[in-house]
Amino acid sequence: MEDRLDKLNDIKIENYIWVIYIFIIILSWYANSKEKNFLINQDEKSRKEYQNLLILIFTILIIIYYYFAKSSYDDIKKLKLNDTNKKKVLTYMSFLGSFLVLISGIIFLTIAINDENLDVEIAFN
């Protein structure tokens, strides 16, 4: 029963995260308009706004990615000796995937902070 309540709570949190993703998509669309304006008009203000928007987007994403990585790690800690090998392997794979996504978010944020000339195209996946 406790597992079902935990999963229902996870779904509730994930629903909030979906709303945040919608906000990020809209913000990304707006950021693209700033990038386009910079590329067409060489408007320095648009370049800086675009860079700041990317930093904001990837900071938010890292928080979300951290939540999922931590949740996956907590699932590993909940594994029992008598759980099936399949469950154990899938739980570890889930953690590995979540952890790698977190690492990719950190890398993309680092690029967004350091790429002042907008030489590298980055997007959240």
Side-chain angles (χ1 to χ4, degrees), residues 61-123:
L61 287 173
I62 285 173
I63 293 167
I64 292 170
Y65 298 159
Y66 174 79
Y67 166 79
F68 284 117
K70 179 160 181 352
S71 178
S72 292
Y73 179 72
D74 290 344
D75 289 343
I76 288 174
K77 292 190 325 189
K78 292 178 189 173
L79 285 173
K80 297 176 180 72
L81 237 45
N82 61 345
D83 284 334
T84 65
N85 279 341
K86 182 178 180 179
K87 180 177 180 177
K88 290 175 185 177
V89 167
L90 293 176
T91 302
Y92 277 98
M93 287 174 55
S94 175
F95 170 71
L96 178 61
S98 297
F99 183 72
L100 292 175
V101 169
L102 174 62
I103 296 299
S104 76
I106 292 168
I107 291 168
F108 286 140
L109 177 61
T110 303
I111 292 169
I113 291 169
N114 292 303
D115 185 18
E116 294 182 6
N117 297 321
L118 307 186
D119 293 327
V120 178
E121 182 65 32
I122 57 175

Side-chain angles (χ1 to χ4, degrees), residues 17-105:
I17 291 172
W18 283 116
V19 172
I20 294 169
Y21 274 138
I22 291 168
F23 170 73
I24 288 173
I25 290 168
I26 293 167
L27 201 57
S28 296
W29 185 54
Y30 179 67
N32 278 350
S33 72
K34 293 296 181 180
E35 181 184 27
K36 181 179 174 183
N37 188 45
F38 167 70
L39 293 172
I40 292 171
N41 301 315
Q42 293 300 301
D43 179 28
E44 190 60 28
K45 181 181 176 192
S46 290
R47 183 203 61 79
K48 192 63 180 165
E49 288 175 350
Y50 171 72
Q51 186 179 23
N52 288 337
L53 287 168
L54 282 184
I55 291 168
L56 174 64
I57 289 165
F58 283 104
T59 299
I60 294 168
L61 287 173
I62 285 173
I63 293 167
I64 292 170
Y65 298 159
Y66 174 79
Y67 166 79
F68 284 117
K70 179 160 181 352
S71 178
S72 292
Y73 179 72
D74 290 344
D75 289 343
I76 288 174
K77 292 190 325 189
K78 292 178 189 173
L79 285 173
K80 297 176 180 72
L81 237 45
N82 61 345
D83 284 334
T84 65
N85 279 341
K86 182 178 180 179
K87 180 177 180 177
K88 290 175 185 177
V89 167
L90 293 176
T91 302
Y92 277 98
M93 287 174 55
S94 175
F95 170 71
L96 178 61
S98 297
F99 183 72
L100 292 175
V101 169
L102 174 62
I103 296 299
S104 76

